[in-house]
Amino acid sequence: MTQGADAPAVPRLLVWRHGRTEWNAAGRFQGQLDPPLDAEGRSQAARTAPHLAALLAGQETLLVSSDLQRAVDTAGALAPLLGVPLRVDERLREHGLGSWEGLTRHEVADQHPGQYADWMAGRPVPERGGEAQADVAARALAAVADLPPAATAVLVTHGGTAGRLIEALLGLGAAHKRVFGPLGNCHWSELSFQASGWRLMRHNLSALAPERVEGGMRSPGDRGAFPEPSATDAPDAPQAGASPEEGAPATDADAG
């Protein structure tokens, strides 16, 4: 929690990661390249948008998206349900990853073994180009600072940028980064500004698809008695649909 911060124009933020792309499914670094949502990603956005719209019913809400198409298309599922215009802000786009963009983790390890070793050890990797973490956080914070007054803003962004923004809002220093796992595709986190600063109220939420069970369907959120962790419950585990960041050491430097 940040201390003694000035009250922002928007005291509640939902930071929403875009739906899945084929590159997410393949574990390929996207950065600021712009592969589209795949069929599952479009389904995720369509499934999640009504849930978010219900949470935000009756509230004055801003909807702001990264300019990358996978984020714009995710936000586009929510805009008509909220009845608000979609704002686009390039400052919410993904962390630029330089020469790694378009490569899988295995390809980076083969082609740039020294850089990959630095990344795995949690060290900066300036040789690949792209952006520094601090620069990503600064531009995302500037986008938040420029929001007009409203009760809530939904920020549709990316795994890396979402992480750096949340860390910056909470005032986490280098020793406390990566305390929170990365957002899964089409998952969101909620932050609220209180007297002493920003607080993370909820993290990595999702609108679960209904699950078939004996005798019918189990509604989203009804997981039965003490279920084992699923891919949705633990999206930071290596899996299809994860970004290359997910499954990397907790001290890794970058996002997919």
Side-chain angles (χ1 to χ4, degrees):
M1 184 193 311
T2 54
Q3 300 294 322
D6 294 332
V10 182
R12 183 188 184 207
L13 301 175
L14 299 186
V15 181
W16 186 22
R17 186 185 178 193
H18 63 80
R20 197 184 77 171
T21 71
E22 289 186 0
W23 285 22
N24 287 141
R28 192 173 297 278
F29 289 98
Q30 296 180 125
Q32 295 184 1
L33 298 182
D34 206 8
L37 298 178
D38 63 10
E40 173 59 20
R42 293 190 295 273
S43 176
Q44 289 171 339
R47 186 166 67 238
T48 304
H51 185 85
L52 292 179
L55 291 177
L56 298 167
Q59 300 180 36
E60 183 184 11
T61 302
L62 302 172
L63 179 59
V64 188
S65 172
S66 155
D67 63 333
L68 297 180
Q69 198 62 46
R70 58 191 183 270
V72 171
D73 288 346
T74 300
L78 179 59
L81 302 182
L82 293 179
V84 300
L86 173 59
R87 301 166 179 259
V88 175
D89 193 327
E90 66 180 9
R91 293 174 294 184
L92 295 177
R93 63 168 46 188
E94 181 58 301
H95 187 155
L97 296 176
S99 61
W100 288 21
E101 293 183 355
L103 302 179
T104 66
R105 287 169 59 109
H106 295 302
E107 289 169 342
V108 170
D110 288 342
Q111 297 176 29
H112 308 287
Q115 295 177 18
Y116 186 76
D118 285 340
W119 179 63
M120 291 294 287
R123 296 187 291 268
V125 193
E127 297 85 359
R128 67 167 176 211
E131 293 180 284
Q133 293 183 64
D135 293 337
V136 178
R139 61 173 166 81
L141 283 174
V144 171
D146 287 344
L147 293 172
T152 303
V154 180
L155 307 178
V156 189
T157 184
H158 308 264
T161 303
R164 305 299 78 73
L165 174 60
I166 291 171
E167 291 164 357
L169 289 171
L170 296 177
L172 296 181
H176 298 97
K177 289 182 180 292
R178 308 296 181 185
V179 169
F180 304 105
L183 289 176
N185 284 121
C186 237
H187 289 217
W188 72 92
S189 292
E190 177 184 348
L191 296 101
S192 176
F193 189 87
Q194 301 181 6
S196 54
W198 287 100
R199 297 186 68 185
L200 183 65
M201 309 303 293
R202 298 171 181 83
H203 179 59
N204 216 12
L205 304 177
S206 69
L208 302 178
E211 178 186 352
R212 291 195 174 276
V213 297
E214 184 177 356
M217 302 289 286
R218 176 179 290 156
S219 63
D222 175 13
R223 303 306 302 268
F226 302 103
E228 293 298 319
S230 71
T232 302
D233 296 325
D236 51 310
Q239 57 176 293
S243 74
E245 177 184 13
E246 297 163 14
T251 55
D252 75 288
D254 303 294

